[in-house]
Amino acid sequence: MKTILFAALSLFLISNITFSQNADAILGDWFNAEKDGKIRIYKSGNLYFGKLIWGKELYEADGKTSRKDANNANALLKGRPLLNLLILEQFEFHQDQWRNGKVYDPKSGKTYDGFLKLKDGKLEIRGYVGIAAFGKTTVWTKAQ
């Protein structure tokens, strides 16, 4: 009986360790599909976030002044800098994907419901309004 209990407990602990490793597999730096932006995905508590840490057009012509979030639909947010802007917010890991989060597109200024999924070492980001089936998927690659 002790052997069976020990085996069951060991299996439970191993599955939890594996689960945690899978959940954190998206942590790190990713290039967007166009390769003109780099997003750092990090974890805060049990939630996952992504912020814009590099981009080809993050600065004005002087090379020092950060460009602003001018395309944002919310007039109050148009003045915030693009550098370190949150692109992914409050994703929760469930089984093999990160769900219930928000995806912000600074190029359009729109925010979408979204989920993330790793597939063949690439990160698929699905953004949608209302129903995921009518959304759009973009694929990011891991930055080395």
Side-chain angles (χ1 to χ4, degrees):
M1 185 66 169
K2 286 182 183 179
T3 304
I4 293 172
L5 184 58
F6 178 74
L9 182 60
S10 296
L11 183 60
F12 174 76
L13 291 174
I14 289 169
S15 67
N16 277 344
I17 290 169
T18 302
F19 175 81
S20 295
Q21 290 173 344
N22 288 338
D24 290 347
I26 63 169
L27 297 179
D29 296 345
W30 296 85
F31 285 111
N32 66 352
E34 299 81 14
K35 304 270 189 284
D36 62 356
K38 188 187 295 183
I39 297 86
R40 176 162 296 147
I41 297 180
Y42 62 95
K43 186 176 181 180
S44 179
N46 289 327
L47 300 176
Y48 295 83
F49 298 82
K51 65 181 178 178
L52 186 61
I53 61 165
W54 173 85
K56 288 185 178 179
E57 297 183 12
L58 285 185
Y59 294 95
E60 299 293 344
D62 66 7
K64 297 177 184 176
T65 306
S66 179
R67 287 188 187 239
K68 306 299 183 218
D69 188 17
N71 297 324
N72 199 303
N74 183 338
L76 298 174
L77 300 178
K78 288 181 182 273
R80 64 186 180 170
L82 290 176
L83 184 61
N84 293 317
L85 184 67
L86 280 179
I87 303 296
L88 306 173
E89 292 188 61
Q90 299 185 335
F91 283 88
E92 304 169 324
F93 184 74
H94 294 282
Q95 296 177 347
D96 66 342
Q97 61 183 258
W98 295 260
R99 299 187 274 181
N100 302 324
K102 299 287 183 186
V103 180
Y104 178 67
D105 176 11
K107 292 176 183 175
S108 70
K110 296 180 181 178
T111 301
Y112 302 94
D113 292 323
F115 64 87
L116 316 172
K117 187 169 187 168
L118 273 177
K119 186 174 181 181
D120 299 325
K122 297 184 187 250
L123 185 61
E124 295 180 351
I125 293 98
R126 180 87 175 162
Y128 58 93
V129 176
I131 301 172
F134 299 117
K136 181 180 175 186
T137 299
T138 186
V139 179
W140 293 358
T141 54
K142 190 80 168 171
Q144 299 301 334

